[in-house]
Amino acid sequence: MDKYADLLNRVRERNPLVHQITNYVTVNDCANITICIGASPVMSHAPEDVVDMVKIADALVLNIGTLDEKQIEGMLIAGKEAGRRNIPIIVDPVGAGATPYRSQTVYEFMDKLPIKILKGNAGEIGTIAGASAKVRGVDSGEFCGDLKKTVMDLAKETGVTVVISGAEDIISDGQRVAGVSNGVPLMGKVSGTGCMATAVCGAFAAAADNNFDACVSAMAYLGIAGEEAAKKSSAPGTFKPLFLDAVYNLSDELFMKSAKVTEYK
């Protein structure tokens, strides 16, 4: 567990700049969670601006929650520059499977960009993997099949670290599979916690030696923060600010005491 716990200290020591092209519903949440975890956010999407911004960034997060053609253009330009600089690209395929437009956008990114991390819910990842999945809107998804095998197979096929968020988050780099069981149902009652998790995966990827450890650590830390916030709140309105406070107050000692990480392979 030490290798996962120590990554929070690395993030706070290095204060990586995480360039995020994300959706307008959760952009402020993603910026705040990035600051609270110990990294720095920049939220730039204009095609005329993104190349210069990526040149000074340590990671690039692409979130398609409220995509349009101009945003897609900016994402592709930024992603190609991130590839040239060899900084991690993290994609959140919000709503993939809900509409062809969203699904095709993710496929285009995977074809044209050197993505390092793909993080979504079961329906989104199942759609990308070609499995039987159902997505309704952008915040929910159903999956019929073996999650661990699907994540492992997709990671192995694409060379991308894949994360499925859920009651147990499943992470694989194609060689290893881990599950993270931290978290509380209230996290699903607040819009944006999935997007925030993607932002934190970006921050950890900028500081970690490998993307698998980065994602396991990021998902566990956020789940623990959710558990801490839920000790003081039982409703979404008060939970959200307490969640930000809990992220800000996270420590490796708390991780070692609270993390529920299972390494399956």
Side-chain angles (χ1 to χ4, degrees):
M1 287 294 178
D2 288 354
K3 64 180 178 179
Y4 301 131
D6 181 58
L7 285 179
L8 177 63
N9 293 325
R10 285 205 212 176
V11 171
R12 289 174 173 170
E13 288 168 3
R14 298 181 185 183
N15 185 231
L17 180 64
V18 184
H19 180 185
Q20 301 174 55
I21 306 179
T22 188
N23 71 77
Y24 57 71
V25 176
T26 64
V27 61
N28 185 245
D29 297 324
C30 292
N32 280 331
I33 205 79
T34 305
I35 295 168
C36 288
I37 203 68
S40 294
V42 61
M43 325 304 274
S44 172
H45 64 272
E48 299 83 0
D49 186 56
V50 293
V51 168
D52 290 327
M53 201 61 76
V54 170
K55 286 179 178 177
I56 60 172
D58 299 294
L60 174 66
V61 173
L62 306 177
N63 177 311
I64 68 166
T66 53
L67 79 169
D68 57 38
E69 287 303 304
K70 194 73 171 178
Q71 188 183 65
I72 292 172
E73 179 188 356
M75 288 179 170
L76 287 169
I77 292 170
K80 289 173 183 177
E81 181 62 27
R84 283 190 285 269
R85 294 196 58 240
N86 197 32
I87 64 171
I89 302 172
I90 300 88
V91 171
D92 192 331
V94 179
T99 68
Y101 185 52
R102 291 174 181 272
S103 301
Q104 288 303 318
T105 297
V106 178
Y107 297 144
E108 182 178 10
F109 288 175
M110 295 183 72
D111 180 55
K112 295 181 178 179
L113 302 178
I115 296 167
K116 299 301 182 185
I117 296 170
L118 183 67
K119 186 218 141 278
N121 64 34
E124 292 158 355
I125 298 299
T127 295
I128 295 165
S132 177
K134 180 180 179 181
V135 178
R136 181 173 59 87
V138 298
D139 290 323
S140 60
E142 299 175 4
F143 178 84
C144 300
D146 185 330
L147 286 177
K148 297 180 187 67
K149 184 178 186 306
T150 297
V151 171
M152 179 83 157
D153 289 348
L154 181 60
K156 189 177 296 185
E157 177 187 345
T158 61
V160 172
T161 296
V162 180
V163 182
I164 287 184
S165 57
E168 180 185 35
D169 305 314
I170 306 296
I171 302 100
S172 179
D173 61 358
Q175 302 298 320
R176 298 168 289 175
V177 179
V180 175
S181 298
N182 292 102
V184 291
L186 264 177
M187 296 174 73
K189 300 298 182 182
V190 176
S191 177
T193 51
C195 300
M196 287 187 262
T198 305
V200 173
C201 284
F204 276 66
D209 294 330
N210 67 80
N211 296 318
F212 178 83
D213 289 351
C215 292
V216 172
S217 183
M219 299 305 288
Y221 266 117
L222 282 192
I224 292 167
E227 293 167 359
E228 292 298 299
K231 293 176 182 178
K232 301 176 183 178
S233 172
S234 60
T238 51
F239 174 82
K240 186 174 180 179
L242 288 168
F243 177 59
L244 288 175
D245 287 350
V247 171
Y248 181 79
N249 290 317
L250 284 168
S251 66
D252 51 3
E253 291 84 6
L254 180 61
F255 185 99
M256 295 300 293
K257 180 177 72 173
S258 306
K260 301 172 185 173
V261 177
T262 304
E263 296 180 349
Y264 293 106
K265 184 177 180 179

